[in-house]
Amino acid sequence: MRTLFQLGLLACCLVTGSAGLAQAPLGAPCGEVVPLETHAGHTQRFTWVPPSGAAPASPVTLVLLPGGGGHLDLDAQGCARKLAGNSLVRSIPLFSAAGFALALVDAPSDFHGEDGLGGFRIDPRHAQDLGQVVAQLRSRTRGEVWVVGTSRGAISAVNAATRLSGPSAPDGVVLTSALMAGQPGARKPWVAQSVFDLPLENIRLPLLVVGHAADTCVRSPAALMPQLAARTRSTRQQVVTVSGGPGWPARPGLDACEGRTPHGFLEQEAEVAAGIARFVRGSTY
């Protein structure tokens, strides 16, 4: 299938005010916390969020995989106490209002340290853990399950998409601001990892890759997105380069990789969520 390239951002079909991106009030539930026993008896938790908008006849669940260390430190109400500024965490109300069910996935219990998931993101056991999440969701909803990874979370999404099969395999994959350039020779070896360390040619699922033209994070250069897509055998794929936004000066160094920057589609969350929704439902971004 020929890769589609789009420059700019199409008009969004979701409208939301700034209140739609606010965190839940203190003590208010964000969703149901679902624990799963995974590798070596450890626990993998995720927050289950049913759609707040009108659910379509064919339900779709999005498995959200944030970047950074991936440790959200979910509280008893299912709210993220860490990584709350991550673009996927901020976009939960938008995806929910669009009729998607959601699973916000925390790091497993043995990866709650300073590095979070670290090098485990490319480990086959991590893919198996995510496969248990996918299978549980598919059993719950009887509908499609897509994995959506942003920044370093894109490595986790690709790990799942390239290794899983059968009821544990996702139905599609969305990568935003994917980590495509590691840092060889770094003090911590896992810092060298990127999506290119995984067998991308195993991806035959529908694939959407989204980046921002103004993203100055050295780990997610938008120019590498076509190369990422070309390495796959996706049945339906699209590469989208978003432009626009507040146009603030680029942050220096790794600060440009934080969520509240073009790397995290700051102030363009509704438009990006709407484009993702269109692609997941069979159209184009």
Side-chain angles (χ1 to χ4, degrees):
M1 180 69 68
R2 181 172 60 90
T3 304
L4 300 176
F5 299 90
Q6 290 188 352
L7 296 175
L9 191 64
L10 301 181
C12 69
C13 56
L14 266 175
V15 179
T16 184
S18 59
L21 296 176
Q23 292 293 304
L26 188 63
C30 294
E32 173 192 354
V33 178
V34 180
L36 295 176
E37 185 175 319
T38 54
H39 66 274
H42 294 287
T43 302
Q44 172 81 73
R45 298 193 307 156
F46 66 87
T47 298
W48 163 255
V49 184
S52 62
S58 300
V60 178
T61 302
L62 304 182
V63 177
L64 305 181
L65 304 171
H71 179 210
L72 296 161
D73 192 20
L74 297 175
D75 64 17
Q77 305 299 315
C79 302
R81 289 180 287 203
K82 295 181 178 179
L83 297 180
N86 183 268
S87 61
L88 292 182
V89 178
R90 300 198 317 268
S91 298
I92 286 174
L94 301 171
F95 289 129
S96 181
F100 293 108
L102 306 168
L104 178 64
V105 180
D106 204 349
S109 56
D110 54 334
F111 288 96
H112 286 184
E114 177 184 356
D115 292 339
L117 286 164
F120 192 63
R121 286 199 186 270
I122 66 170
D123 194 298
R125 293 172 298 168
H126 183 41
Q128 293 165 7
D129 290 353
L130 295 176
Q132 288 186 242
V133 174
V134 170
Q136 207 275 352
L137 294 168
R138 183 167 287 122
S139 174
R140 178 182 287 230
T141 66
R142 308 295 179 185
E144 288 191 356
V145 180
W146 285 55
V147 290
V148 184
T150 194
S151 192
R152 197 168 288 278
I155 300 177
S156 295
V158 169
N159 193 5
T162 57
R163 298 190 194 275
L164 298 174
S165 60
S168 298
D171 295 286
V173 57
V174 177
L175 308 176
T176 66
S177 300
L179 198 147
M180 296 173 285
Q183 182 184 352
R187 181 172 59 87
K188 297 179 180 180
W190 57 265
V191 177
Q193 296 173 357
S194 77
V195 293
F196 290 106
D197 292 311
L198 291 158
L200 288 165
E201 63 277 4
N202 290 348
I203 295 182
R204 300 176 182 272
L205 308 169
L207 170 69
L208 174 64
V209 185
V210 184
H212 202 294
D215 183 2
T216 56
C217 175
V218 296
R219 302 285 185 263
S220 54
L224 289 181
M225 294 193 300
Q227 181 179 335
L228 188 169
R231 282 271 302 273
T232 74
R233 299 177 184 176
S234 172
T235 56
R236 180 171 70 92
Q237 63 177 230
Q238 186 173 3
V239 173
V240 178
T241 302
V242 176
S243 62
W248 296 337
R251 295 187 183 183
L254 292 178
D255 283 348
C257 305
E258 297 296 327
R260 299 187 186 279
T261 65
H263 181 77
F265 309 99
L266 184 65
E267 296 186 15
Q268 294 177 285
E269 296 90 348
E271 299 168 7
V272 173
I276 291 172
R278 288 191 292 271
F279 184 86
V280 170
R281 292 195 170 120
S283 185
T284 58
Y285 183 101

